[in-house]
Amino acid sequence: MSQTEKFEFTPDRLALYKEYLTRYDDIDSALLPTLHLAQEQNGWLSDSVVAYISELMGLPSIRIKEVISFYDMLYDQPVGRNIVHVCTNITCSMFGGREIYSGLLKHFETGYLTPTRDGRISIQKMECLGACEQAPCMRVNNDYVGNIDLQSAISKLEELP
Ligand code: FES
């Protein structure tokens, strides 16, 4: 979806949003789950998504953008259909994590978070993914893939739809 294309929650997501509001004492606390809900629907958090959430929640757009820019897993730019997090923190780096990250960017001819030309994949380097015992590791969407090397990582990503 483009930056300006009008956005609104689907009826089931709007119902889920209203359910979120019952879980928190104040509206600010519901912002993060609401942004995840919007990103799940739209793929990323465009200006029109921010405008919609701003109106829906009665929060200033600038406040919402501040939150988006703070969190690595909220995207203010279009991303690929599959998100790949490659750990480049200390344990994974000792086992080649940084080289795997740069090797993947080179192989898929892309840059940090930039979708591949076919729109399939965005690759993002991350701090510790909390799976150091599997170093070096990456997360492909919601699945952890551990003890990788560049070739096995490439093969895994080539399988993605
Ligand atoms: S350092 Fe990579 S998962 Fe912890």
Side-chain angles (χ1 to χ4, degrees), residues 84-89 91-112 121 123-126 129 134-140 145-157:
V84 178
H85 294 146
V86 181
C87 181
T88 57
N89 211 312
T91 310
C92 288
S93 287
M94 286 169 58
F95 293 94
R98 288 181 195 176
E99 292 74 18
I100 292 169
Y101 170 69
S102 55
L104 286 174
L105 292 187
K106 189 169 176 206
H107 177 83
F108 288 99
E109 299 178 330
T110 188
Y112 175 86
I121 302 168
I123 302 168
Q124 190 176 17
K125 68 177 173 180
M126 294 294 267
L129 295 176
Q134 299 178 49
C137 72
M138 64 181 179
R139 184 169 51 217
V140 180
V145 186
N147 302 310
I148 53 172
D149 57 26
L150 178 57
Q151 204 45 56
S152 67
I154 289 172
S155 302
K156 182 74 188 170
L157 302 197

Side-chain angles (χ1 to χ4, degrees), residues 9 13 16-17 19-21 23-24 26-41 45 53 57 67 71 74:
F9 276 141
R13 283 198 169 82
L16 205 47
Y17 161 72
E19 201 267 312
Y20 287 168
L21 293 182
R23 298 184 197 173
Y24 302 100
D26 59 84
I27 193 114
D28 282 276
S29 302
L31 180 56
L32 264 183
T34 303
L35 288 174
H36 279 289
L37 197 61
Q39 184 166 271
E40 204 179 277
Q41 180 178 323
L45 299 166
I53 301 290
M57 301 185 80
V67 171
Y71 289 101
L74 294 175

Side-chain angles (χ1 to χ4, degrees), residues 45-88:
L45 299 166
S46 63
D47 283 352
S48 55
V49 173
V50 171
Y52 173 79
I53 301 290
S54 171
E55 192 173 326
L56 183 70
M57 301 185 80
L59 295 170
S61 292
I62 187 69
R63 165 104 184 87
I64 296 170
K65 287 187 174 190
E66 281 169 2
V67 171
I68 295 170
S69 67
F70 184 80
Y71 289 101
D72 283 343
M73 292 168 73
L74 294 175
Y75 305 120
D76 62 359
Q77 63 184 80
V79 290
R81 292 192 298 280
N82 300 281
I83 301 288
V84 178
H85 294 146
V86 181
C87 181
T88 57

